[in-house]
Amino acid sequence: MSVLVVGSVALDSVRTQSEAHDNLLGGSASYASMAASFFGPVRMVGIVGDDFPRAYMDLFASRGVDTAGLQRARGKTFAWSGEYEANMNNRRTLSVALNVFETFRPDLPAAWRETEYVLLANIAPALQHHVLDQMRRPKFVVADTMDLWIETTRDDLVRLLGRVDMLILNDGEAKQLTGIDSLPRAAAALRSMGPRWLAIKKGEHGCLLFGEGEFFTVGAYPLEEVKDPTGCGDCFAGGLIGHLAASGTVDVATLRRAVVHGSVIASFNAESFSLKRLEALSKDDVAARFDAFRRFSRFE
Ligand code: AMP
């Protein structure tokens, strides 16, 4: 079954302590769509400018990402630049240029309105609402967000929570949105605002899944070297919804596996800049690391 992904498509500049790269393919929709593509067909909704490289369009096509919903407008593609400290958990945004995003309205191709699995990847909540307004009866809607929207468009974000099945955010954002330090209590507060399911990411410490009477925890894959963690959150969300759509059900066991699949794709993504690692990844690689997660967390 197809997944519909809306989010940003960006040209990123990323600096770590040892490397710096410009004009990289980035954006929440790019990472999430590529991640979801390991599980089935993906429909991508977003916008790029006339400077967006052809090679990046070819990459989407090569992974079966349908770009019929990717608008091309006059002007420059959304551009983001960030810098990592020696501790890669700490990132500073150096600049953001909205460019073609300033006038973006994500209008869906008519045939896409019936898509059953929807990922509202990180983008302004008003645009996430606009996509949902056009959907017929999605089976499962996942929303991702970031601190910027909690600070600047909180009301839109809170209203969105009543319209989605699952919210994904990181531990700091869960505390920021609720004002509660305890993650289980923050999770309960967030679930009372709408989403039946909540995934709280903890970076290199893994992820927690909360539902009615349900709790699941998964660690992160023990990577010896993290090259560039940009987009790991988006890959987590994309892998998660991709697995749900491929399974066609959203019971507890499937959701647990989906969280692990999200963690698998996110861990690969950190091994290289931009989407380079995912570009070279095979389904066998994904299956092998999924098995490794199972081995690492099994005990009697
Ligand atoms: P993550 O590392 O998961 O936070 O995702 C990083 C990606 O998000 C980068 O590729 C950026 O292009 C994209 N991004 C950064 N800021 C924004 C924003 N305000 N809206 C949408 N996407 C963004």
Side-chain angles (χ1 to χ4, degrees), residues 10 12 16 19 34 52 118 123 150 164 199 202-203 205 210:
D12 285 351
T16 63
E19 286 182 65
M34 289 286 285
F52 192 68
V118 180
I123 194 177
I150 299 174
V164 305
K202 300 195 299 166
H205 304 299
F210 294 90

Side-chain angles (χ1 to χ4, degrees), residues 8 10 12 26-27 31 78 80 91 122 146 148-149 230-234:
S8 58
D12 285 351
Y31 281 107
F78 173 71
W80 172 83
R91 178 174 80 192
N122 178 29
M146 72 187 292
L148 175 68
W149 312 124
T230 308
C232 283
D234 311 310

